[in-house]
Amino acid sequence: MPKPHLSQAKCSQGTDNFSCLGQCGNGPMVLVLPEEVWYSGVSAEEVAAITDRHLRGGKPIEAMLYRKFHRHSVGAVPPNPPADV
């Protein structure tokens, strides 16, 4: 069975189509506004998690954030913290 395309994903929240977010080499991208939270490499299956946990629950999904714009989130541990010397 083929994977659903992102445009086929259902979301009860408002959505807008964008021609390009300027990060096309890192897509598919999801940009949550007005918070300006970016997710990269999003699969159709991950859209439900973003909808449930972020849009409905108010909690961005740290593991899926686009690191170019979200290197360190408030209260988050960096993905590869430096070892104490």
Side-chain angles (χ1 to χ4, degrees):
M1 174 179 238
K3 291 184 178 182
H5 190 274
L6 283 177
S7 65
Q8 296 170 335
K10 302 294 183 199
C11 177
S12 63
Q13 306 294 321
T15 60
D16 289 318
N17 293 321
F18 292 91
S19 59
C20 181
L21 296 172
Q23 302 298 315
C24 297
N26 299 297
M29 305 293 290
V30 172
L31 172 58
V32 178
L33 297 172
E35 299 99 332
E36 295 189 20
V37 174
W38 291 72
Y39 294 97
S40 64
V42 178
S43 69
E45 294 80 16
E46 293 169 324
V47 172
I50 294 170
T51 301
D52 291 339
R53 292 172 54 189
H54 187 154
L55 299 179
R56 291 186 184 128
K59 297 179 182 175
I61 304 170
E62 297 288 333
M64 295 173 59
L65 294 177
Y66 183 33
R67 294 294 169 207
K68 181 175 181 179
F69 298 146
H70 303 288
R71 294 192 189 280
H72 304 289
S73 297
V74 176
V77 175
N80 295 309
D84 291 334
V85 179

